[in-house]
Amino acid sequence: MHHKFLLTKKKHKFAVWFWPKANKKGMKETIDPSKIPAHIAVIMDGNGRWAKKRGAARLFGHRNAIEAVRDTTEGCAELGVKRLTLYAFSTENWNRPKLEVDGLMSLLISTIKKEIPTLVKNNIRLQPIGDITHLPVGAQKNLALGIEQTKDNTGMILSLALNYGGRWEISHAVKDLIDDIKENKAEVDNIDINFINQYIDKHTAPDVELMIRTSGEHRISNFLLWQAAYAELHFTETLWPDFRKKHLYEAILDFQNRERRLGKTSEQLIQK
Ligand code: IPE
Ligand code: IPE
Ligand code: MG
């Protein structure tokens, strides 16, 4: 009996050493919990190529992206990230074939509804950004449901960028500001960065500290232009449907190894 127990134990040790999951755990432990980026933004790219590699239609890639969204959301919440913004549909994505746009919208409708209980369970608050008034009614309805049912949650904010564009957001803010000036609710002399900040969609604050883009593309594609002014950028070749916590940890470790100088010199940072 005793002997048998020893054997199982040994086998277990061996498994831990070789299993990638154990590596993943190791990587998580090297993350400095006092330097977790408060706001992480992700440009989830590469679904189409992921499907193409498998000889499947683009929508197959989008469907397989949901697991990546789940794992990343869970990973961020576990680490104490305050806000995670996911770029799900850009103002430019309407230019895709109708079949793909329709497919993406129905996926959005069904996924939001299905995921609400998990968000509630994990104390996550849902907060979309972008012009959601132009989304299909079903999507708007389920989003409203998700916002309502998670509004009292005190944990991480999951911000879904839907029909979102940085230039749209800035134009929108400029228009609101001019309207207020016309109605004597604002003064031209008061316009400064903080003032403009108030007009940029309030839900998108605070600034992005870490921006991740998957699939080897090195561009911002009109995402959070104002908020990413000082973001650290992390690019990975991994296609979005393959992205898991392990890749998130890699990105955070990369972030923690950078020196956030914010305009100062290295020497000034050491002196502090
Ligand atoms: C990102 O994957 C998802 C959305 C933009 C909605 P893509 O669909 O852009 O995938 P690729 O870039 O064609 O591989
Ligand atoms: C950016 O991905 C938008 C989203 C991830 C929703 P795209 O694949 O649409 O970006 P571009 O057009 O290649 O820059
Ligand atoms: Mg793409």
Side-chain angles (χ1 to χ4, degrees), residues 43-45 87-90 93 96 213 217 219 221:
I43 304 176
M44 312 182 287
D45 200 9
Y87 206 3
F89 195 86
S90 75
N93 288 144
R96 293 193 177 195
R213 184 168 190 149
E217 304 295 353
R219 55 177 175 267
S221 300

Side-chain angles (χ1 to χ4, degrees), residues 10 15 22 27 38-39 62 64 72 74 77 82 110 128 144 152 155 166 183 204 210 213 215-216 225-226 229 259:
K10 220 176 180 174
M27 190 147 55
H39 185 184
H62 298 316
N64 278 279
T72 307
E74 193 181 278
K82 293 204 161 52
S110 56
D152 296 326
E183 292 171 26
T204 59
L210 169 62
R213 184 168 190 149
S215 85
L225 297 179
W226 176 269
E259 191 177 46

Side-chain angles (χ1 to χ4, degrees), residues 66-272:
I66 295 169
E67 201 45 50
V69 171
R70 273 198 206 109
D71 215 46
T72 307
T73 306
E74 193 181 278
C76 284
E78 283 167 358
L79 286 173
V81 171
K82 293 204 161 52
R83 182 183 296 260
L84 170 66
T85 305
L86 300 176
Y87 206 3
F89 195 86
S90 75
T91 46
E92 288 74 26
N93 288 144
W94 295 109
N95 297 324
R96 293 193 177 195
K98 188 177 177 327
L99 191 73
E100 183 173 349
V101 171
D102 289 350
L104 274 167
M105 290 301 153
S106 30
L107 194 63
L108 178 70
I109 296 171
S110 56
T111 310
I112 292 172
K113 189 152 187 205
K114 214 162 65 206
E115 298 297 322
I116 296 176
T118 316
L119 295 179
V120 173
K121 201 181 95 205
N122 294 317
N123 197 21
I124 296 171
R125 189 144 53 106
L126 181 68
Q127 239 180 40
I129 58 166
D131 190 359
I132 56 172
T133 60
H134 282 82
L135 296 177
V137 184
Q140 292 188 47
K141 236 174 76 187
N142 286 354
L143 274 171
L145 207 69
I147 296 167
E148 173 58 29
Q149 293 189 10
T150 63
K151 73 175 192 310
D152 296 326
N153 290 351
T154 52
M156 188 177 80
I157 293 172
L158 174 63
S159 174
L160 281 187
L162 294 162
N163 190 19
Y164 175 87
R167 286 174 168 177
W168 165 80
E169 188 177 55
I170 293 169
S171 331
H172 194 65
V174 169
K175 189 183 165 298
D176 285 352
L177 177 54
I178 293 177
D179 281 348
D180 279 0
I181 290 173
K182 277 201 222 148
E183 292 171 26
N184 291 321
K185 288 185 202 150
E187 278 181 46
V188 176
D189 286 348
N190 289 339
I191 298 176
D192 60 9
I193 293 170
N194 281 332
F195 199 76
I196 293 176
N197 246 337
Q198 293 166 19
Y199 282 87
I200 299 274
D201 196 336
K202 285 191 235 66
H203 296 315
T204 59
D207 283 1
V208 175
E209 287 192 272
L210 169 62
M211 187 180 276
I212 301 170
R213 184 168 190 149
T214 58
S215 85
E217 304 295 353
H218 294 193
R219 55 177 175 267
I220 307 287
S221 300
N222 202 13
F223 193 34
L224 299 169
L225 297 179
W226 176 269
Q227 299 85 347
Y230 255 110
E232 296 294 337
L233 307 176
H234 175 86
F235 299 104
T236 168
E237 293 294 321
T238 307
L239 300 175
W240 178 250
D242 291 328
F243 196 91
R244 291 293 178 274
K245 283 181 192 173
K246 167 178 166 265
H247 304 97
L248 171 74
Y249 301 156
E250 259 166 34
I252 294 178
L253 285 169
D254 184 20
F255 169 87
Q256 295 191 335
N257 285 325
R258 312 257 183 109
E259 191 177 46
R260 304 253 315 138
R261 288 194 285 271
L262 307 169
K264 297 182 181 169
T265 67
S266 289
E267 290 71 23
Q268 284 177 299
L269 296 178
I270 296 163
Q271 272 164 22
K272 257 200 87 193

